[in-house]
Amino acid sequence: MGRWVVLVDRSHGDQQDVDEVAHFEGTREEARARLYELACTHRPGLTLRQKRRHVYRIGDGDAYYAHIEGVMSTHRVVYRLGELAWSTHPESWPWAWK
């Protein structure tokens, strides 16, 4: 079992940022399933009123590109899966893994 994070890389107009969307424990298969679910359902903006969404797998399934057309704007978002590789105190963040 690994410790995973789903990152979202958002691009809207000239702005670009990266956020952590979810933290969880599980197998790689479970993590990829969660990543896919978030790529298909996550709202990258609070005011987004989605009309259409296209989700494209990047590589072997550890990343997805979502092109989301809203009523007023279009969002281009990349969802990436990351596995915890090293930490000085991985047990000190119980809120992140429950």
Side-chain angles (χ1 to χ4, degrees):
M1 285 254 240
R3 291 188 174 178
W4 304 93
V5 62
V6 174
L7 302 169
V8 60
D9 184 353
R10 284 188 287 259
S11 176
H12 182 71
D14 292 337
Q15 296 177 327
Q16 187 169 0
D17 64 9
V18 176
D19 282 323
E20 298 174 3
V21 176
H23 291 261
F24 53 93
E25 288 184 342
T27 64
R28 177 171 293 281
E29 292 77 23
E30 292 168 337
R32 284 181 170 172
R34 183 86 181 267
L35 172 67
Y36 176 72
E37 175 187 341
L38 287 167
C40 293
T41 62
H42 178 258
R43 287 180 50 187
L46 295 176
T47 60
L48 175 65
R49 290 184 16 217
Q50 177 179 302
K51 289 186 341 183
R52 185 173 306 130
R53 180 184 296 233
H54 302 283
V55 177
Y56 301 88
R57 183 178 61 231
I58 299 172
D60 62 357
D62 284 347
Y64 288 90
Y65 166 71
H67 181 92
I68 307 164
E69 295 177 34
V71 173
M72 302 289 288
S73 61
T74 299
H75 293 256
R76 292 167 302 280
V77 185
V78 176
Y79 293 89
R80 298 180 193 279
L81 185 61
E83 182 178 12
L84 181 65
W86 183 85
S87 176
T88 57
H89 297 287
E91 302 302 326
S92 65
W93 310 309
W95 54 268
W97 311 115
K98 301 295 180 198

